[in-house]
Amino acid sequence: KLNVTKYICYNAFIACVYLALVYIFQFMSFGAIQFRIAEAMTILPSLFPFSVAGLTIGCFLSNFMSVWGLFLYTSDAADE
């Protein structure tokens, strides 16, 4: 069982790796057709169940790297 410090460190590392992969392959991560190399990391929860939080945070933060990231989230809420 992981203690709290290791849990936070592992998930922070996973989120950083996800974010770095999206940043490095940004040219194909955002567009009409999206292909994210970082999505290969989604196999991690089947091997390490504690990695769900890190992947969720990494995916959430990487969506803000898009040109439309913040704009789409705020405009969708305003349209309703």
Side-chain angles (χ1 to χ4, degrees), residues 14-75:
I14 290 168
C16 288
V17 170
Y18 188 97
L19 199 59
L21 285 172
V22 171
Y23 183 75
I24 291 169
F25 297 103
Q26 193 170 6
F27 64 93
M28 65 182 175
S29 294
F30 304 107
I33 298 175
Q34 296 183 4
F35 182 76
R36 290 190 179 179
I37 300 293
E39 287 298 316
M41 293 179 65
T42 57
I43 194 72
L44 282 176
S46 65
L47 303 171
F48 308 107
F50 61 84
S51 64
V52 172
L55 287 174
T56 303
I57 293 168
C59 184
F60 178 76
L61 293 175
S62 68
N63 284 330
F64 285 107
M65 289 184 351
S66 167
V67 175
W68 297 102
L70 187 59
F71 175 74
L72 287 178
Y73 293 122
T74 56
S75 67

